[in-house]
Amino acid sequence: MYNYLKGENQLKRVVVFLIIISNILLLFGCGAGTSGYSTEFFSMDTVITVSAYGKKADEALSAAEKESNRLNDLLSVNGPESEINRLNADGSAVLSEESINIINTAVDLYYMTDGAFDITIYPIVDLWGFYTGEHYVPKDSELSELLKNTGCEKLVIEGSVVSFELPDMAIDLGGIAKGYASDKVAETVRSCGVKSAIMSFGGNVYAVGGRPDGSRWRVAIQDPADNSAYAGILELYDQVAITSGGYQRFFEQDGVRYHHIIDPDTGRPADNGVTSVTIVCDSGILADGLSTALFVMGYDKAVEFWREHSDMFDAVIINDRSEIFVTEGIKDIFSSDSAFEVISR
Ligand code: ADP
Ligand code: MG
């Protein structure tokens, strides 16, 4: 699931990442101050940076890297150690409590989002070539065949055993893995006694507490139409901001752009005018799953969904006309050079 960054997209993502990080550095002065430490490493198929402050900051950074690598080995569909890999290969497997918990959360998200978030989409994402980098535009008949094998109701979870109801099924935790990892790494950093830290998982940001001076962390949301610009700034305190965008991983064929977030109803990249969804809440796994799901839902359904769950999360939605919409709960911590509309409850 993490191993399909190839060529141009990879380069683009690294550039975007550097821009976001340089924004973070510019805006927030990471590394400044006497007791701040930063580290950067590659894990979970993305560049991860962690900056931590306080007496135990140095120790927290090593623990953070170790924890990321542990989760990479557990959740990647490529690693020989990966439980998910074993399940996909055998169609049934005894999994660790941790993997079962993540899968159960994914299944909850499936029902909650009316199927917009669906980890059984793996064979379809695979056919499009997003894992191998061998991109391919499937025929309708191929997609309708594969769609028969998707849907979380076809996953059987009994205690620690997960099995597939149909042959040829497979799951992919790529839509929530980085969010889950951010929760776990934040927990690790906190357990070292750190009260102020900021971490980025390929541009998805987890803020532990505030800046060392107690003020909020300022985090840029990338402009989906221009990867050298940002659409707005969020001010976070003990919150996570996770973005799903069609501009992140894609390929082009015959002038058409195909991205990696698939609408489980059609088996094709979601195509509804929404170009970026950022979720803000206090849970990385929830933010990650919902950013993917709301991107698939499109604007109207996403707003309706938010109104039903506005106690759980907030969102910034951007569309292909570069219009920016911000839900009421975060209107005071969002700012932009462009005009934006507040979505009320
Ligand atoms: P990224 O991981 O690139 O930051 P997302 O969190 O939106 O972006 O996750 C997209 C990944 O999730 C895809 O690469 C694929 O592995 C998987 N995926 C694609 N469509 C869906 C979907 N509708 N539901 C669940 N997972 C999906
Ligand atoms: Mg996601």
Side-chain angles (χ1 to χ4, degrees):
M1 115 184 89
Y2 305 119
N3 204 10
Y4 55 91
L5 272 179
K6 289 267 151 65
E8 212 178 298
N9 281 359
Q10 176 157 22
L11 181 66
K12 217 168 209 158
R13 208 155 152 112
V14 169
V15 170
V16 166
F17 169 76
L18 291 174
I19 290 162
I20 290 172
I21 290 312
S22 56
N23 284 337
I24 291 174
L25 294 174
L26 272 175
L27 293 162
F28 329 126
C30 285
T34 47
S35 54
Y37 289 87
S38 284
T39 186
E40 184 177 301
F41 52 93
F42 195 85
S43 183
M44 313 287 296
D45 196 31
T46 197
V47 180
I48 300 178
T49 58
V50 185
S51 300
Y53 296 81
K55 279 197 213 98
K56 299 280 181 63
D58 198 14
E59 185 186 310
L61 296 191
S62 325
E65 183 166 354
K66 218 167 134 194
E67 178 65 354
S68 287
N69 290 334
R70 183 187 72 82
L71 291 167
N72 183 67
D73 293 346
L74 181 74
L75 302 174
S76 148
V77 287
N78 304 303
E81 302 282 303
S82 156
E83 294 190 2
I84 304 305
N85 201 8
R86 206 153 38 78
L87 169 63
N88 285 343
D90 300 345
S92 176
V94 179
L95 302 185
S96 63
E97 199 183 334
E98 186 169 25
S99 297
I100 293 283
N101 288 341
I102 299 170
I103 293 172
N104 275 323
T105 303
V107 173
D108 288 347
L109 279 164
Y110 172 80
Y111 289 109
M112 186 179 168
T113 63
D114 203 14
F117 185 81
D118 186 355
I119 54 170
T120 67
I121 205 78
Y122 180 104
I124 293 182
V125 184
D126 193 28
L127 182 62
W128 282 92
F130 284 112
Y131 300 107
T132 57
E134 288 159 27
H135 296 130
Y136 169 70
V137 180
K139 298 187 186 67
D140 285 345
S141 56
E142 290 172 314
L143 290 176
S144 53
E145 216 32 57
L146 287 186
L147 282 167
K148 291 180 187 158
N149 297 335
T150 62
C152 286
E153 61 286 332
K154 301 184 188 91
L155 274 182
V156 186
I157 307 172
E158 282 166 334
S160 58
V161 181
V162 178
S163 42
F164 301 145
E165 224 166 62
L166 298 173
D168 303 327
M169 283 179 68
I171 62 166
D172 164 19
L173 300 177
I176 46 172
K178 286 196 293 266
Y180 177 74
S182 70
D183 287 335
K184 294 300 288 180
V185 173
E187 197 181 302
T188 303
V189 165
R190 283 194 177 104
S191 72
C192 292
V194 165
K195 298 202 167 52
S196 167
I198 184 106
M199 47 192 92
S200 163
F201 291 70
N204 297 315
V205 177
Y206 196 118
V208 173
R211 296 170 66 183
D213 67 4
S215 62
R216 287 172 167 268
W217 293 105
R218 289 164 53 81
V219 171
I221 297 179
Q222 199 200 315
D223 180 350
D226 175 1
N227 59 23
S228 64
Y230 53 89
I233 302 286
L234 280 165
E235 296 188 33
L236 304 180
Y237 189 98
D238 267 338
Q239 279 159 310
V240 47
I242 293 192
T243 302
S244 284
Y247 58 88
Q248 291 176 321
R249 295 184 187 198
F250 61 86
F251 69 96
E252 273 168 356
Q253 191 173 302
D254 301 327
V256 182
R257 182 182 281 204
Y258 300 97
H259 62 72
H260 72 311
I261 304 175
I262 301 296
D263 181 342
D265 278 344
T266 62
R268 299 185 169 280
D271 180 19
N272 51 45
V274 167
T275 50
S276 146
V277 175
T278 300
I279 302 291
V280 179
C281 66
D282 58 12
S283 156
I285 192 167
L286 184 71
D288 201 354
L290 291 182
S291 69
T292 307
L294 268 67
F295 185 90
V296 167
M297 285 178 199
Y299 181 80
D300 290 342
K301 274 196 199 155
V303 169
E304 194 183 321
F305 183 86
W306 173 73
R307 289 201 172 112
E308 283 164 16
H309 301 94
S310 61
D311 54 330
M312 290 172 73
F313 74 97
D314 277 287
V316 179
I317 302 173
I318 306 175
N319 68 19
D320 52 10
R321 283 176 295 185
S322 293
E323 294 169 319
I324 304 172
F325 303 90
V326 178
T327 61
E328 203 179 334
I330 49 170
K331 68 176 184 340
D332 296 333
I333 59 164
F334 179 81
S335 57
S336 176
D337 291 340
S338 315
F340 62 90
E341 194 175 307
V342 175
I343 304 169
S344 58
R345 291 184 184 91

